[in-house]
Amino acid sequence: MTMPTAPLRRVRCAAVGVVTAALAVLAHTNADGHLPDAGLVFSLVALLTWATTGFARHELTAGRLLALVGGGQLAMHLVLSLAVSRHEHVPDTSDMVASHVVATALTVGVLAGAERSVLALVRAVAAALPRRLAALPASAPLLVATPARVAATVVLLDVPSWRGPPAGQV
């Protein structure tokens, strides 16, 4: 099946990027209690949205979403850990892993269901719309009416062709 047009594709990419980043930030904050910088979060959301665009030409199945969201969670965790590394507090790794795993499972479940629902709706609307009629194949040359004689006028210019630059400039 051909996938929806570019605007809907961009919305799907933005949804995956925003949801992945938001849940990664929530999971990371839940595990160690540090809220990251907003500029960093927005940059990572934009990066995840851009990274998703290559996958959006195809249906985002649970496997593809798991690869995207899992990779996004890992990337967000690494960047957020580097950004918060200036603090003396060392988070508990089991809480961090559990938070990211739960966030990944929730994200994949919600986005896979949303993907199926949106694409089912698009398919239903496309089936209900009238189809374009195909052009009939040509069986004979196309005849176009043209006048037998085309009036032509001859324009003669009464301008000497041997004219040069003014004598004063030579």
Side-chain angles (χ1 to χ4, degrees):
M1 176 198 152
T2 50
M3 293 307 290
T5 58
L8 185 56
R9 202 177 301 147
R10 288 185 191 114
V11 169
R12 290 169 52 230
C13 294
V16 171
V18 167
V19 170
T20 301
L23 284 178
V25 168
L26 288 174
H28 201 83
T29 304
N30 182 38
D32 70 359
H34 292 104
L35 192 62
D37 182 35
L40 177 67
V41 172
F42 289 132
S43 300
L44 291 173
V45 168
L47 183 64
L48 284 173
T49 303
W50 173 77
T52 309
T53 57
F55 285 87
R57 294 176 192 210
H58 309 286
E59 186 173 347
L60 294 175
T61 61
R64 287 183 180 144
L65 281 170
L66 185 61
L68 280 172
V69 174
Q73 289 282 325
L74 181 63
M76 290 283 287
H77 169 73
L78 292 175
V79 171
L80 293 175
S81 293
L82 289 174
V84 184
S85 66
R86 63 181 178 266
H87 297 289
E88 311 286 319
H89 173 68
V90 178
D92 184 18
T93 56
S94 62
D95 286 345
M96 186 68 71
V97 170
S99 293
H100 281 291
V101 167
V102 168
T104 301
L106 282 173
T107 305
V108 169
V110 168
L111 289 177
E115 178 81 4
R116 282 191 308 270
S117 300
V118 166
L119 291 181
L121 179 66
V122 167
R123 289 179 184 122
V125 169
L129 292 176
R131 303 264 185 223
R132 277 190 194 166
L133 296 176
L136 296 175
S139 59
L142 179 64
L143 298 176
V144 179
T146 56
R149 291 187 175 205
V150 178
T153 58
V154 178
V155 178
L156 297 176
L157 299 177
D158 193 20
V159 179
S161 63
W162 44 271
R163 182 174 170 180
Q169 290 183 357
V170 178

